[in-house]
Amino acid sequence: MRTRFAILGFGHHAVRRLLQGFRESAECELVGLWRRNQQAAAANAREFGIATAFSSPEELCASPAVDAVFVTSPDALHHSHTLLALQHGKAVLCEKPLAMNAREAQSMQDAAQAHGVLFGVAQNFRYNRSVQAMRQWIADGKIGQPLLAHSQFLYLAEKSPRAWIYDPSLATGGPIADVGVHCIDALRFILQAEVQSITTQAHGDAESGNVESVASLQLACTQGILANVTVSTRAPYRSLLEVVGTDGVLHAENGLTVDQPVTVELWRGGACVEQETMSNADGYSRMLDSFALAMRGESVYLAPGLDGIINQQILDAAYRSGHSGRREPIS
């Protein structure tokens, strides 16, 4: 039997990314949605063939027709929406960043454990074939011991329909929290290493207001690895992944994209000695299917709530460093 999902906070991300993921999923089906604009919700349900446009988050979470809730509301609502779903015994897959801070994220994890249901964060890039290939090539020793790593995520915010992304009452932060969390998580996953401390330099502009629009993060990681994460909402799209080791370099231009094939390259001595081109187009459906199978005890979900908490602790330290001007440990 397929796992029945409902999306709590249906919006641009659901239309652009999640609908295709559900259409291509072998284990899940999308049966319901809720959004604040009820007229728009009804129109979305009709347009996309979704059975129910629920009148409230409470109705959605209480529905016996729903097995799992995908929380895609603005960041500030993740905590309350997740707790509501968990209280009704629903498994929850929550968008990143998991919450506004690590304290909220921890309380979400605690509630999931108390209710005995699966709780995961939608770090979909862990299911990208390019990311998994880089992780495996490093584990296979193709670049020796990793020394340096860089992940970059750029996009033009003025083209985003998410009007709330510059509102600090709704957004955890600017691009550090919005896409930097993807960079951080991808590096943790690829390197199989943890961040121990972080230094942040960031600034905003007239349009971004009280949140940053460009930032550079310097991460000191276990295994002696040093990593950089660079993000901005003021440059055309790019999502770079690169790892330098004692015996070679792994490079993937736009390694996090799902919109076009990605080529992972292995460089030694200034020449590309191996490469593989792959598609990440099924990353969302693979994530959904993995979560559904994990609900049934048939698989392990690659981005459990604990990883969301760790990422949130790193984000908290990054923002502390941006304000203090000091290197901050990960608590």
mmCIF file of all heavy atoms in Angstrom, residues 18 30 57 90 106 116 126 130 141 143 198 204 207 227 236 305 315-316:
data_model
loop_
_atom_site.group_PDB
_atom_site.id
_atom_site.type_symbol
_atom_site.label_atom_id
_atom_site.label_comp_id
_atom_site.label_asym_id
_atom_site.label_seq_id
_atom_site.Cartn_x
_atom_site.Cartn_y
_atom_site.Cartn_z
ATOM 1 N N LEU A 18 7.936 19.335 -5.693
ATOM 2 C CA LEU A 18 7.395 18.165 -5.017
ATOM 3 C C LEU A 18 6.354 17.426 -5.837
ATOM 4 O O LEU A 18 6.257 16.192 -5.747
ATOM 5 C CB LEU A 18 6.815 18.569 -3.660
ATOM 6 C CG LEU A 18 7.813 19.202 -2.685
ATOM 7 C CD1 LEU A 18 7.140 19.469 -1.350
ATOM 8 C CD2 LEU A 18 9.029 18.312 -2.506
ATOM 9 N N LEU A 30 0.152 11.714 -3.160
ATOM 10 C CA LEU A 30 -0.217 12.979 -2.538
ATOM 11 C C LEU A 30 -1.743 13.071 -2.506
ATOM 12 O O LEU A 30 -2.390 13.127 -3.554
ATOM 13 C CB LEU A 30 0.369 14.144 -3.326
ATOM 14 C CG LEU A 30 0.098 15.556 -2.801
ATOM 15 C CD1 LEU A 30 0.623 15.721 -1.379
ATOM 16 C CD2 LEU A 30 0.715 16.596 -3.718
ATOM 17 N N PRO A 57 -4.737 23.392 9.293
ATOM 18 C CA PRO A 57 -3.695 22.415 9.618
ATOM 19 C C PRO A 57 -4.211 21.308 10.539
ATOM 20 O O PRO A 57 -3.824 20.154 10.403
ATOM 21 C CB PRO A 57 -2.624 23.265 10.305
ATOM 22 C CG PRO A 57 -2.811 24.640 9.750
ATOM 23 C CD PRO A 57 -4.295 24.777 9.579
ATOM 24 N N LYS A 90 1.216 11.364 13.170
ATOM 25 C CA LYS A 90 1.645 11.326 11.768
ATOM 26 C C LYS A 90 3.166 11.385 11.673
ATOM 27 O O LYS A 90 3.812 12.165 12.384
ATOM 28 C CB LYS A 90 1.064 12.508 10.987
ATOM 29 C CG LYS A 90 -0.440 12.680 11.111
ATOM 30 C CD LYS A 90 -1.224 11.502 10.570
ATOM 31 C CE LYS A 90 -2.720 11.826 10.580
ATOM 32 N NZ LYS A 90 -3.537 10.663 10.206
ATOM 33 N N GLN A 106 15.345 20.511 18.388
ATOM 34 C CA GLN A 106 15.453 19.437 19.372
ATOM 35 C C GLN A 106 14.088 19.075 19.942
ATOM 36 O O GLN A 106 13.786 17.880 20.147
ATOM 37 C CB GLN A 106 16.396 19.840 20.503
ATOM 38 C CG GLN A 106 16.634 18.743 21.531
ATOM 39 C CD GLN A 106 17.353 17.550 20.956
ATOM 40 O OE1 GLN A 106 18.454 17.667 20.435
ATOM 41 N NE2 GLN A 106 16.732 16.367 21.030
ATOM 42 N N GLY A 116 6.594 8.092 18.950
ATOM 43 C CA GLY A 116 6.997 6.873 18.273
ATOM 44 C C GLY A 116 6.776 6.879 16.777
ATOM 45 O O GLY A 116 6.430 5.841 16.191
ATOM 46 N N ARG A 126 20.862 14.642 -0.458
ATOM 47 C CA ARG A 126 21.473 13.370 -0.072
ATOM 48 C C ARG A 126 21.045 12.244 -1.024
ATOM 49 O O ARG A 126 21.686 11.193 -1.065
ATOM 50 C CB ARG A 126 21.109 13.010 1.364
ATOM 51 C CG ARG A 126 21.751 13.912 2.405
ATOM 52 C CD ARG A 126 21.633 13.364 3.810
ATOM 53 N NE ARG A 126 22.363 14.201 4.749
ATOM 54 C CZ ARG A 126 22.867 13.766 5.898
ATOM 55 N NH1 ARG A 126 22.724 12.490 6.254
ATOM 56 N NH2 ARG A 126 23.513 14.577 6.705
ATOM 57 N N SER A 130 24.776 12.549 -8.010
ATOM 58 C CA SER A 130 26.099 13.186 -8.028
ATOM 59 C C SER A 130 26.691 13.264 -6.633
ATOM 60 O O SER A 130 27.897 13.036 -6.434
ATOM 61 C CB SER A 130 26.003 14.585 -8.644
ATOM 62 O OG SER A 130 25.106 15.400 -7.908
ATOM 63 N N GLY A 141 38.728 5.993 -1.687
ATOM 64 C CA GLY A 141 40.116 6.449 -1.642
ATOM 65 C C GLY A 141 40.636 7.072 -2.911
ATOM 66 O O GLY A 141 41.858 7.219 -3.083
ATOM 67 N N ILE A 143 40.745 10.089 -3.940
ATOM 68 C CA ILE A 143 41.506 11.344 -3.793
ATOM 69 C C ILE A 143 42.410 11.305 -2.557
ATOM 70 O O ILE A 143 42.964 12.329 -2.161
ATOM 71 C CB ILE A 143 40.587 12.581 -3.728
ATOM 72 C CG1 ILE A 143 39.668 12.539 -2.501
ATOM 73 C CG2 ILE A 143 39.792 12.731 -5.014
ATOM 74 C CD1 ILE A 143 38.961 13.860 -2.220
ATOM 75 N N ILE A 198 33.092 27.250 13.419
ATOM 76 C CA ILE A 198 32.752 27.984 12.196
ATOM 77 C C ILE A 198 33.039 29.470 12.369
ATOM 78 O O ILE A 198 32.887 30.028 13.464
ATOM 79 C CB ILE A 198 31.261 27.749 11.846
ATOM 80 C CG1 ILE A 198 30.929 28.264 10.452
ATOM 81 C CG2 ILE A 198 30.342 28.351 12.890
ATOM 82 C CD1 ILE A 198 29.585 27.759 9.949
ATOM 83 N N GLY A 204 24.393 42.270 4.322
ATOM 84 C CA GLY A 204 23.144 42.428 3.598
ATOM 85 C C GLY A 204 23.190 43.664 2.725
ATOM 86 O O GLY A 204 24.234 44.269 2.516
ATOM 87 N N GLU A 207 17.890 45.737 -0.115
ATOM 88 C CA GLU A 207 16.753 44.867 -0.412
ATOM 89 C C GLU A 207 16.596 43.753 0.614
ATOM 90 O O GLU A 207 15.485 43.395 0.997
ATOM 91 C CB GLU A 207 16.910 44.253 -1.809
ATOM 92 C CG GLU A 207 15.692 43.455 -2.253
ATOM 93 C CD GLU A 207 15.833 42.934 -3.669
ATOM 94 O OE1 GLU A 207 16.789 43.326 -4.369
ATOM 95 O OE2 GLU A 207 14.981 42.123 -4.074
ATOM 96 N N ALA A 227 36.804 23.475 5.332
ATOM 97 C CA ALA A 227 35.820 23.629 4.262
ATOM 98 C C ALA A 227 35.318 25.062 4.214
ATOM 99 O O ALA A 227 35.271 25.759 5.231
ATOM 100 C CB ALA A 227 34.645 22.671 4.477
ATOM 101 N N PRO A 236 23.753 34.799 -10.481
ATOM 102 C CA PRO A 236 23.043 33.742 -11.208
ATOM 103 C C PRO A 236 23.311 32.373 -10.592
ATOM 104 O O PRO A 236 24.348 32.146 -9.954
ATOM 105 C CB PRO A 236 23.619 33.835 -12.629
ATOM 106 C CG PRO A 236 24.126 35.231 -12.737
ATOM 107 C CD PRO A 236 24.617 35.600 -11.371
ATOM 108 N N GLY A 305 15.786 13.283 11.644
ATOM 109 C CA GLY A 305 15.674 14.524 12.403
ATOM 110 C C GLY A 305 16.963 14.903 13.096
ATOM 111 O O GLY A 305 17.276 16.099 13.224
ATOM 112 N N LEU A 315 24.041 26.194 11.850
ATOM 113 C CA LEU A 315 23.472 27.490 11.455
ATOM 114 C C LEU A 315 23.487 28.470 12.625
ATOM 115 O O LEU A 315 23.845 29.640 12.451
ATOM 116 C CB LEU A 315 22.045 27.310 10.954
ATOM 117 C CG LEU A 315 21.836 26.557 9.639
ATOM 118 C CD1 LEU A 315 20.345 26.498 9.307
ATOM 119 C CD2 LEU A 315 22.607 27.208 8.493
ATOM 120 N N ASP A 316 23.096 27.992 13.809
ATOM 121 C CA ASP A 316 23.097 28.870 14.983
ATOM 122 C C ASP A 316 24.502 29.428 15.226
ATOM 123 O O ASP A 316 24.676 30.627 15.487
ATOM 124 C CB ASP A 316 22.637 28.099 16.220
ATOM 125 C CG ASP A 316 21.146 27.815 16.234
ATOM 126 O OD1 ASP A 316 20.445 28.225 15.281
ATOM 127 O OD2 ASP A 316 20.667 27.176 17.200
#
